[in-house]
Amino acid sequence: LLTGEKKYANKAIASTYKLTESEMLLQKALKKLLDDPTANVTEFGEKLVQLNPKVYAAYQWLISYQQFAKDYEGLDKTFQSQLKLTEFPGPIYNGMGYNYMTLNKMGKAKEAFENYIKAEPNNPNCYDSMGDYFAKAEDFKNAYSNFMKAYEMDSIRFKISHDKAMKIKPKLNK
């Protein structure tokens, strides 16, 4: 945690407000992370989900903790559960795609990013993410076109997509 974040984390831990069981779990996880930033706090996220099985945010906490712990197989299960709770699956598909790329499950990664595009076709981030997929798959033509599509949709927030496209452009003719 950064210095400013530690200040707020310590305040949260020292809180004397009456906390719910879920809030106490978050507080315990925070304390453990303050004591050891490399600590695995996934158990707190799992308990949070058990207490709140229909609450989207509980899964978000578990996902964060699983990412800290590099529990990519666990992440897959959590994403699958979280998909059942939302009408807006785009961000979940995005997370799934990157998680599958980390696991080198490229077919599943592509499918997740395709689902992201279906869910949010007007979101330039979908195409930037698909570009990342194609870049990792060394399909530079498709990576380039997806990065450029993201950039063309939003040239201010997705300048990074343009930068990625320019970086792989020399590989297009190889």
Side-chain angles (χ1 to χ4, degrees):
L1 293 172
L2 302 172
T3 306
E5 292 171 335
K6 285 182 183 179
K7 174 181 150 185
Y8 294 110
N10 283 318
K11 285 184 178 193
I13 290 169
S15 173
T16 57
Y17 290 105
K18 183 176 170 143
L19 302 176
T20 66
E21 189 175 354
S22 295
E23 291 167 331
M24 286 188 279
L25 284 170
L26 292 170
Q27 192 179 49
K28 288 176 185 176
L30 187 56
K31 177 160 180 19
K32 191 169 181 179
L33 286 170
L34 275 175
D35 292 343
D36 177 6
T38 64
N40 184 341
V41 295
T42 302
E43 66 183 281
F44 297 106
E46 289 169 348
K47 288 178 186 173
L48 194 62
V49 166
Q50 287 172 359
L51 284 172
N52 306 281
K54 296 189 185 291
V55 177
Y56 186 87
Y59 291 86
Q60 283 300 112
W61 282 106
L62 177 54
I63 286 167
S64 294
Y65 297 158
Q66 288 170 321
Q67 288 172 329
F68 293 154
K70 297 182 178 6
D71 177 10
Y72 303 114
E73 293 293 341
L75 261 172
D76 183 35
K77 291 176 188 166
T78 305
F79 282 133
Q80 295 296 337
S81 296
Q82 194 182 34
L83 268 176
K84 297 171 187 168
L85 296 175
T86 184
E87 295 176 34
F88 307 102
I92 300 167
Y93 286 128
N94 193 39
M96 290 172 78
Y98 282 106
N99 189 53
Y100 286 134
M101 285 195 331
T102 300
L103 292 168
N104 211 27
K105 295 180 178 180
M106 297 301 284
K108 286 188 168 195
K110 184 178 183 188
E111 182 181 343
F113 291 130
E114 287 170 342
N115 286 332
Y116 185 22
I117 290 171
K118 286 178 194 167
E120 299 184 23
N122 297 319
N123 180 349
N125 192 61
C126 301
Y127 303 98
D128 180 76
S129 296
M130 187 61 97
D132 288 337
Y133 161 79
F134 281 121
K136 182 169 180 167
E138 297 185 357
D139 180 345
F140 300 116
K141 180 181 177 194
N142 281 314
Y144 179 85
S145 66
N146 276 275
F147 288 141
M148 289 306 293
K149 182 167 185 160
Y151 175 68
E152 289 163 7
M153 291 174 79
D154 185 342
S155 62
I156 296 171
R157 291 184 323 133
F158 284 86
K159 183 177 180 328
I160 191 166
S161 299
H162 182 267
D163 296 345
K164 291 178 196 180
M166 292 304 105
K167 187 174 180 180
I168 64 168
K169 191 174 184 177
K171 298 177 183 181
L172 293 177
N173 296 327
K174 290 184 180 182

